[in-house]
Amino acid sequence: MEDSPDTLQDTTMPRLVATGCLAAFIALPVAGPAAEMQLTMEDAIEVMRAATTVLAVERGLEEGMRHCRERHAELARPGRASLDAWARRNEPALVRSRQLSERVMEAVAARSGEAQASRLRARLHEDTHHQARELAATLQARPDASQDYLCNRFIEAIEQGQWDIAASQPQAYRILMAR
């Protein structure tokens, strides 16, 4: 059975965590003048899920590429070039994910204290890295000959935009860019 980028992309959907901490995000303005937009708890959860998804894709691509470079030194240069191009194409979504995540952390710290914000940061970091490790494990679990093919196909898929946030995670992309 041939693996497709879609098979690998399914592993990047993050788990939603620390919902209780997001209550501090409810009244946080996220776009335009402060009085223009307030988020409900449901909106806050949706925004954090989208931001975590985007960051998990980014880390997953980096982790998957790290695995491929370790196995195939000749992929270091084309792999780095494909990730750099991916980052440029996806910069708006990456920046927005980081902005919204940081706003959540600031709101949690302001309302619940820095200790609670630190716990949320740690949990989000753990969840996004868990997703990245799942992608690498998907590549590593294949027979050696299959890994060669998958690593080359992985780079091609990144270069072709199949891993771009708007293409691979359209719902998360729409949520983030609408805020």
Side-chain angles (χ1 to χ4, degrees):
M1 181 176 148
E2 183 177 304
D3 289 302
S4 71
D6 296 334
T7 304
L8 299 176
Q9 288 169 332
D10 290 343
T11 66
T12 63
M13 291 305 295
R15 299 171 284 142
L16 180 63
V17 297
T19 302
C21 297
L22 294 177
F25 192 44
I26 292 173
L28 185 68
V30 295
E36 280 186 24
M37 181 182 279
Q38 302 289 316
L39 291 181
T40 65
M41 179 60 150
E42 184 176 302
D43 290 337
I45 291 169
E46 180 178 68
V47 165
M48 281 307 295
R49 182 178 291 145
T52 302
T53 296
V54 169
L55 298 175
V57 169
E58 178 185 38
R59 289 187 181 124
L61 293 177
E62 290 169 355
E63 187 68 19
M65 194 60 67
R66 184 191 60 73
H67 166 75
C68 289
R69 282 191 315 260
E70 287 174 358
R71 290 195 43 81
H72 309 284
E74 71 277 9
L75 295 180
R77 182 169 286 146
R80 182 76 264 153
S82 69
L83 285 180
D84 289 347
W86 180 90
R88 285 189 300 276
R89 289 191 310 269
N90 290 277
E91 184 176 11
L94 295 168
V95 167
R96 196 71 182 136
S97 294
R98 288 183 180 96
Q99 287 173 339
L100 291 173
S101 294
E102 188 53 38
R103 286 184 180 183
V104 168
M105 298 310 150
E106 290 170 2
V108 170
R111 296 215 176 135
S112 302
E114 189 56 45
Q116 186 71 11
S118 292
R119 284 191 293 276
L120 180 57
R121 274 187 194 95
R123 186 60 190 262
L124 293 174
H125 179 78
E126 175 186 320
D127 283 354
T128 55
H129 277 80
H130 170 77
Q131 299 304 318
R133 287 188 302 270
E134 283 183 356
L135 174 60
T138 300
L139 292 169
Q140 293 167 354
R142 305 295 190 248
D144 287 344
S146 178
Q147 285 188 30
D148 296 347
Y149 168 79
L150 283 177
C151 284
N152 282 300
R153 182 64 188 110
F154 186 53
I155 291 172
E156 289 172 15
I158 293 169
E159 289 171 348
Q160 293 168 359
Q162 294 174 25
W163 282 91
D164 285 5
I165 300 303
S168 68
Q169 303 297 333
Q171 182 178 2
Y173 181 81
R174 283 190 300 272
I175 290 166
L176 291 172
M177 302 319 282
R179 304 278 181 213

